[in-house]
C-alpha cells in the first residue's frame, strides 16, 4: 500500500463524477467450454450478437468498440469488419486478461462525452479447439513478445510466475497448500451449480493436493482451465439503459494499475497492483470491500484469489489463506467469490476478464439460477493480466446503489 | 557501435562477465537492463560487475518429463546489490532449493550463449 502515492487517489477522485453514469445494458456468452469447429472470431461475433440483442439494440446501434486478442495485435479491425459496424470510438488496449475490465473507464468517458452512444466490449477465443491454439500461440509469443531475462531459465509461463508468488506467500505468511486447494474446491462447488461450467465433477482438497504437479507448490488443479468461449457486454449511458429492456447494471467505479511485465520485475510478489486499482475503484464508487455482496476475481491460479481478496481489502495482507479456509468462499461461506466457478472450473479461454463481468451482471440482475445469491446489489469484479502484471478493478451495482 | 541494454548485457555474459547497471544519479543498481533508472528517471546507466552474491527470494520446481530433462528449478534471486533476477540454482536437487538460501553466481552457457546461474554458498559463506 505504501507504494501508492496519494496523488493516485486524487486521480480516482477526478472520476467520482462518472460514478453510475454508465450501465451495462446487455451481456452474453457463447460457446463456453468446448466449441469444436469454431474460431476466435466466430465465438466473439456470436457472443456480441447475443449481447446486443440482450440490450434490446441492433448491431447498427453499436458505435463504440473495445476488444483485444492474445494472437492479433490489430484485432479491432477484423472485428469491425465482421460485425459490420462503423464505430466512432475504438479501444484495442491489450494488457492481458484484465483488458476488458480496463476497457470500462475509457468507454465511460467516451459515452459521457457524447463521442458514442453504445460501446460493445467483446472477446472470443477457441484456444482449446482451434488448430492455432494455446501451444502455438505461446510459441509465437516467444518471438513476438520476448522476455530475454526469463526465457533462458525455461520457466513455463505463466504458471511458474504464479508458483513463485504462491511459494513466497506461503513463506511469509504461513499460507498452506490446503488453503490454496480450498480456492479450487470452492470454485468447483460453485461450478456444480452452473450448467455453463466446464468442469462440474466433485473435487476434494486431497484430490487437488494429489493432482499432477505443474510448478511447485501448484498442481494442475491449482491452474485455470483451457477452454473455448466468447463473451460480450454492451455499455450505454445510464439514462438510456433505463429505457432498454434489461435491468441496468451500473458501473460505480473502475481503475487500472500496472507495475511490471516480467515476474522477476514485480516489486513484492505478495502484494499486487490490485491494491492500487482496488483502492482507486472503491474511491470512485465511494464504497469499501465490506459493502460488496460478492467478488468475481480473476482466478487464473488458486493463489490469485487469495492475493486479490487481500489486496482488495476483504482481509488483511497475509490472512487470505485463513479467509478462504473451511469453505470461506464456497457456497454458504463468508463471501461469495467466483459464483460461476471462475477460471478454475467454469471457463478460461486465454483471457477471463469479460466472463467475470458477465457473471456479476447475471448475479446483479438475479438471473443466476441455482447459484443466485439472495442479496445481490453490489459486486467487485477484478481482472488480472500477464504474470500478476496488470490489474483492473470494477465496482458494479444495481439501481438501489446509485 | 551503439548497443541496446539487452545486447550489451548478453555480450558481457558471452564473454563470461556478469554485469548489471548502476544509476549515475541516485547510485542504485538496476536489473533487468534498461535505458532509464526506474527509481529516479536518469539516463546513462553504467555497467558494473555484479558481486554475484545473493539470496533466494522465491523458488519453484518445474515438473518436466524425464526424457525432456526431468524436473528443474526456477528461482528469483535477490542480489546483494538490491536487484532481483530470475535464474536457476544448481548443485542440489530442485526440491532442495529453499527461500533464504545464500547463493553465488557464475556464468554458464546455454545454446552457445552466456547465462547467469547460481550455486549454494559453501557453509561459512564466501563474502
Amino acid at each position: 500500500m505504501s507504494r501508492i502515492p496519494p496523488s493516485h487517489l486524487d486521480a480516482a477522485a477526478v472520476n467520482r463524477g462518472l460514478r453510475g453514469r454508465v450501465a451495462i445494458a446487455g451481456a452474453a456468452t457463447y460457446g463456453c467450454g468446448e466449441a469444436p469447429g469454431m474460431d476466435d472470431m466466430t465465438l466473439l461475433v456470436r457472443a456480441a450478437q447475443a449481447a446486443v440483442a440482450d440490450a434490446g439494440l441492433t448491431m447498427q446501434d453499436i458505435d463504440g468498440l473495445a476488444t483485444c486478442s492474445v494472437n492479433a495485435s490489430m484485432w479491432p479491425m477484423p472485428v469491425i469488419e465482421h460485425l459490420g459496424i462503423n464505430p466512432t470510438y475504438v479501444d484495442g488496449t491489450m494488457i492481458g486478461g484484465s483488458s476488458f475490465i480496463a476497457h470500462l473507464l475509457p468507454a465511460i468517458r467516451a459515452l459521457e462525452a457524447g463521442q458514442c452512444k453504445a460501446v460493445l466490449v467483446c472477446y472470443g477465443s477457441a484456444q482449446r479447439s482451434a488448430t492455432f491454439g494455446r501451444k502455438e500461440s505461446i510459441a509465437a509469443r516467444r518471438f513476438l513478445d520476448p522476455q530475454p531475462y526469463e526465457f533462458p531459465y525455461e520457466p513455463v509461463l505463466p504458471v511458474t510466475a504464479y508458483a513463485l508468488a504462491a511459494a513466497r506467500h506461503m513463506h511469509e505468511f504461513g499460507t498452506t497448500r490446503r488453503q490454496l486447494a480450498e480456492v479450487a474446491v470452492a470454485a468447483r462447488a460453485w461450478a456444480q451449480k452452473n450448467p455453463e461450467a466446464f468442469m462440474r465433477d466433485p473435487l476434494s482438497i486431497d484430490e487437488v493436493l494429489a493432482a499432477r504437479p505443474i510448478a511447485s507448490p501448484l498442481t494442475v488443479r491449482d491452474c485455470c482451465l483451457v477452454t473455448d468461449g466468447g463473451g460480450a457486454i454492451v455499455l450505454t449511458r445510464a439514462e438510456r439503459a433505463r429505457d432498454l429492456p434489461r435491468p441496468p447494471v451500473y458501473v460505480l467505479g473502475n481503475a487500472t494499475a500496472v507495475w511490471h511485465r516480467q515476474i522477476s520485475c514485480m516489486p513484492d510478489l505478495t502484494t499486487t497492483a490490485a491494491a492500487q486499482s482496488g483502492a482507486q475503484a472503491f474511491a470512485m464508487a465511494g464504497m469499501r470491500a465490506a459493502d460488496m455482496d460478492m467478488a468475481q476475481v480473476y482466478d487464473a491460479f488458486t493463489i490469485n484469489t487469495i492475493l486479490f481478496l487481500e489486496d482488495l481489502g476483504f482481509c488483511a495482507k497475509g490472512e487470505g489463506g485463513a479467509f478462504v479456509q473451511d469453505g470461506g468462499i464456497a457456497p454458504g461461506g463468508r463471501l461469495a467469490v467466483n459464483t460461476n466457478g471462475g477460471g478454475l472450473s467454469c471457463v478460461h479461454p486465454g483471457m477471463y476478464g469479460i466472463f467475470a463481468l458477465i457473471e456479476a451482471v447475471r448475479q446483479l440482475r438475479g438471473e443466476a439460477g441455482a447459484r443466485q445469491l439472495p442479496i445481490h446489489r453490489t459486486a467487485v469484479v477484478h481482472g488480472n493480466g500477464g504474470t500478476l502484471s496488470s490489474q483492473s478493478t470494477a465496482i458494479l451495482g444495481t439501481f438501489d446503489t446509485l | 557501435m551503439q548497443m541496446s541494454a539487452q545486447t550489451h548485457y548478453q555480450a558481457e555474459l558471452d564473454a563470461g562477465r556478469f554485469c548489471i547497471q548502476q544509476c549515475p544519479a541516485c547510485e542504485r543498481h538496476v536489473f533487468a537492463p534498461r535505458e532509464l533508472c526506474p527509481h529516479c528517471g536518469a539516463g546513462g546507466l553504467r555497467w558494473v560487475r555484479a558481486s554475484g552474491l545473493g539470496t533466494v527470494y522465491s523458488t519453484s520446481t518445474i515438473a518436466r518429463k524425464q526424457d525432456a530433462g526431468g524436473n528443474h528449478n526456477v528461482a528469483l534471486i535477490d542480489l546483494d546489490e538490491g536487484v532481483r533476477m530470475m535464474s536457476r540454482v544448481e548443485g542440489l536437487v530442485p526440491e532442495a532449493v529453499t527461500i533464504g538460501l545464500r547463493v553465488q553466481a557464475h556464468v554458464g552457457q546455454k545454446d552457445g550463449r552466456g547465462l547467469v546461474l547460481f550455486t549454494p554458498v559453501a557453509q561459512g559463506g564466501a563474502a
Side-chain angles (χ1 to χ4, degrees), chain A residues 281-346:
Chain A
F282 279 123
M284 177 174 163
M287 291 176 155
R288 306 177 316 144
D291 300 318
M292 297 295 108
D293 295 332
M294 71 193 84
Q296 313 291 351
V297 302
Y298 197 113
D299 57 340
F301 302 91
T302 51
I303 185 64
N304 293 42
T305 302
I306 289 175
L307 289 169
F308 299 147
L309 290 174
E310 292 172 350
D311 291 339
L312 295 174
F314 288 97
C315 60
K317 179 51 64 184
E319 291 176 8
F323 190 88
V324 303
Q325 201 166 294
D326 303 323
I329 58 171
R334 37 190 158 260
L335 177 69
V337 177
N338 298 342
T339 51
N340 58 347
L344 289 166
S345 279
C346 178

Side-chain angles (χ1 to χ4, degrees), chain B residues 26-88:
Chain B
C26 73
E27 308 223 305
R28 292 180 70 170
H29 289 88
V30 174
F31 195 89
R34 66 196 79 186
E35 289 297 313
L36 300 180
C37 174
H39 306 293
C40 74
L45 299 177
R46 58 172 179 255
W47 291 93
V48 297
R49 288 290 280 267
S51 72
L53 272 170
T55 306
V56 174
Y57 174 77
S58 195
T59 179
S60 178
T61 301
I62 313 303
R64 192 166 56 183
K65 292 194 176 105
Q66 210 56 46
D67 57 11
N71 291 356
H72 68 105
N73 171 256
V74 171
L76 295 178
I77 312 292
D78 283 345
L79 294 179
D80 288 0
E81 287 89 343
V83 297
R84 183 175 300 155
M85 68 184 299
M86 183 176 281
S87 184
R88 179 166 74 238

